[in-house]
Amino acid sequence: MISNKSTSSQWLIGGPSRCGKSTLADVIANTDVDGLELAVLKVDALLHVYRNKSKFKSDDDARLFLQAYLERPRYMNPERTITLCPADDINVSIEEIISRVNPLAGMKPLEVIFRLFDFMAESNDKCSWLALDLLPEIYFCDYKKKVKGLKLLIVLRDPVESIAAGLYWRTYPNRSSVCGKKTIDYLLFLWCLSALTTLMMKKKYPDDVYVVSSNDLFSEKSKLPDELENIDVSMEFKKYYSGVPYFNYERASSRHYCPDGTWQNLLSKEEVCFINAYKKKYSSGLFSFENSCETSFNNRCKLIDFLIRLAEINPVYAKLIADHVYVPKQLLANLIEISKNIVKKLLFYK
């Protein structure tokens, strides 16, 4: 099914939110480099949403799923005014995609999605594909069983920057109140979960898991894996951000670079020290991010410590509990949306 050019691995780009993975995927997609034969899905693949879904009972069910997946929009900017969907990264009509991918009864959603990625590569005249997703590292063992030769590239950013971005991304100059006062705790846990799971995956699949720091890529202190190394990421990142990425942290003044072009104190000294305490521990073996202070927070958040210990045993379950504790309203909204879709299907096929 794939073009007969020199072969290339299939890739997932992962990591926690606001760490630069979307930017990196966009850079790779828009860089014309000889020998880089990857079609890029520039929106979140949302693989985890479909990971445990059962087999389709009919061909019609499978095709309806594929159409819905192709048309499902993702917000691409903080203002939520720009959306893209998977169909935008494929050069043919949705009808032809469905016809050529030909999902069938007995297939599972993930099988259909990975077959779609193969077709995306073929339709773009590429040897293989690259897709980005949120935290695919915690599910990588499952994905690895379904895609032979699958590789993982994790993008991490100094959490003092990525957490500030998460707090203000869609609400600047105000803080997000998704989790109330616990928003920092939740974002910090997700960052630690990514770092911890990435280290676990690197030990299990040493030849297939890579990790880069967007801070190091931007400052030319790091490079991509060999298959991607011909891209001048540092130069392209600077073009993308016009010099300085949003929420870049200046340690001397304890300020972040904001979307309005100003430098502001977005985190208190205590919050920075709290993040650094976890950053130092859980980036060990991956990076040595610079710390601006050393402080012990043994009693700051016992829940985070418990969740991280649980993640060492079962990262998927730890993430599920964290979502239940920190964002129960979002979980409820997701369940309501799933129920609506089920009802629509029942009415449609009645």
Side-chain angles (χ1 to χ4, degrees), residues 40 53 56 105 135 227 277 291:
V40 180
K53 301 296 184 183
F56 296 110
L135 298 172
E227 289 186 37
N291 284 284

Side-chain angles (χ1 to χ4, degrees), residues 156-214:
L156 289 175
R157 185 181 185 183
D158 187 328
V160 174
E161 297 179 359
S162 64
I163 289 173
L167 288 170
Y168 290 92
W169 182 248
R170 300 192 190 279
T171 57
Y172 179 83
N174 301 311
R175 282 197 179 194
S176 169
S177 58
V178 172
C179 310
K181 295 180 179 179
K182 296 292 186 180
T183 303
I184 286 183
D185 296 11
Y186 180 56
L187 294 174
L188 180 57
F189 164 70
L190 293 179
W191 192 94
C192 293
L193 175 67
S194 177
L196 173 66
T197 311
T198 297
L199 195 57
M200 293 165 60
M201 292 299 100
K202 277 177 63 68
K203 290 178 179 177
K204 186 167 185 176
Y205 306 107
D207 297 327
D208 297 324
V209 177
Y210 302 84
V211 57
V212 294
S213 157
S214 56

Side-chain angles (χ1 to χ4, degrees), residues 22-87:
S22 297
T23 303
L24 181 57
D26 202 45
V27 165
I28 293 172
N30 293 299
T31 302
D32 186 13
V33 176
D34 290 340
L36 185 63
E37 298 295 342
L38 291 172
V40 180
L41 185 77
K42 298 188 291 292
V43 299
D44 285 346
L46 301 180
L47 299 176
H48 61 284
V49 175
Y50 310 103
R51 187 175 63 92
N52 290 321
K53 301 296 184 183
S54 58
K55 297 178 180 179
F56 296 110
K57 294 182 179 180
S58 70
D59 295 351
D60 285 341
D61 283 345
R63 290 166 185 153
L64 283 171
F65 163 77
L66 180 55
Q67 179 172 348
Y69 181 82
L70 286 164
E71 295 177 338
R72 181 171 178 171
R74 280 76 149 163
Y75 292 111
M76 303 304 292
N77 64 332
E79 298 79 19
R80 298 194 176 199
T81 57
I82 300 174
T83 61
L84 292 176
C85 60

Side-chain angles (χ1 to χ4, degrees), residues 132-150:
L132 68 104
D133 211 353
L134 183 64
L135 298 172
E137 53 271 30
I138 70 176
Y139 313 104
F140 188 61
C141 290
D142 289 344
Y143 303 154
K144 188 82 170 155
K145 294 174 184 176
K146 294 177 173 58
V147 180
K148 185 178 180 180
L150 184 64

Side-chain angles (χ1 to χ4, degrees), residues 121-342:
E122 180 184 30
S123 67
N124 285 279
D125 196 29
K126 301 293 185 180
C127 293
S128 193
W129 51 262
L130 178 149
L132 68 104
D133 211 353
L134 183 64
L135 298 172
E137 53 271 30
I138 70 176
Y139 313 104
F140 188 61
C141 290
D142 289 344
Y143 303 154
K144 188 82 170 155
K145 294 174 184 176
K146 294 177 173 58
V147 180
K148 185 178 180 180
L150 184 64
K151 294 189 176 183
L152 180 65
L153 176 62
I154 298 300
V155 183
L156 289 175
R157 185 181 185 183
D158 187 328
V160 174
E161 297 179 359
S162 64
I163 289 173
L167 288 170
Y168 290 92
W169 182 248
R170 300 192 190 279
T171 57
Y172 179 83
N174 301 311
R175 282 197 179 194
S176 169
S177 58
V178 172
C179 310
K181 295 180 179 179
K182 296 292 186 180
T183 303
I184 286 183
D185 296 11
Y186 180 56
L187 294 174
L188 180 57
F189 164 70
L190 293 179
W191 192 94
C192 293
L193 175 67
S194 177
L196 173 66
T197 311
T198 297
L199 195 57
M200 293 165 60
M201 292 299 100
K202 277 177 63 68
K203 290 178 179 177
K204 186 167 185 176
Y205 306 107
D207 297 327
D208 297 324
V209 177
Y210 302 84
V211 57
V212 294
S213 157
S214 56
N215 302 82
D216 288 347
L217 288 174
F218 190 82
S219 60
E220 302 182 16
K221 294 180 181 177
S222 182
K223 68 175 186 176
L224 297 178
D226 290 345
E227 289 186 37
L228 309 174
E229 69 177 353
N230 290 330
I231 300 173
D232 189 342
V233 176
S234 179
M235 180 180 294
E236 295 302 325
F237 264 44
K238 289 176 182 177
K239 289 180 183 177
Y240 191 94
Y241 290 110
S242 299
V244 181
Y246 292 152
F247 304 104
N248 186 62
Y249 184 63
E250 185 180 69
R251 287 171 176 77
S253 63
S254 301
R255 297 183 303 173
H256 289 83
Y257 182 67
C258 300
D260 59 6
T262 63
W263 292 83
Q264 303 288 339
N265 297 106
L266 299 182
L267 299 175
S268 69
K269 181 179 179 181
E270 181 185 38
E271 289 169 337
V272 171
C273 290
F274 174 48
I275 293 169
N276 279 333
Y278 280 90
K279 174 179 70 174
K280 181 180 179 181
K281 182 175 181 180
Y282 291 101
S283 64
S284 176
L286 298 173
F287 298 104
S288 296
F289 287 115
E290 181 181 349
N291 284 284
S292 58
C293 57
E294 296 288 344
T295 306
S296 174
F297 286 87
N298 293 329
N299 297 315
R300 172 60 174 81
C301 192
K302 292 182 179 179
L303 177 57
I304 291 180
D305 295 331
F306 165 75
L307 289 170
I308 291 173
R309 286 196 297 270
L310 178 60
E312 293 174 350
I313 302 170
N314 190 323
V316 175
Y317 191 48
K319 170 70 163 52
L320 183 64
I321 291 178
D323 290 344
H324 178 72
V325 171
Y326 290 115
V327 286
K329 291 182 179 179
Q330 184 60 48
L331 278 181
L332 180 59
N334 291 342
L335 288 174
I336 291 173
E337 186 63 28
I338 291 171
S339 300
K340 286 181 179 178
N341 290 334
I342 292 174

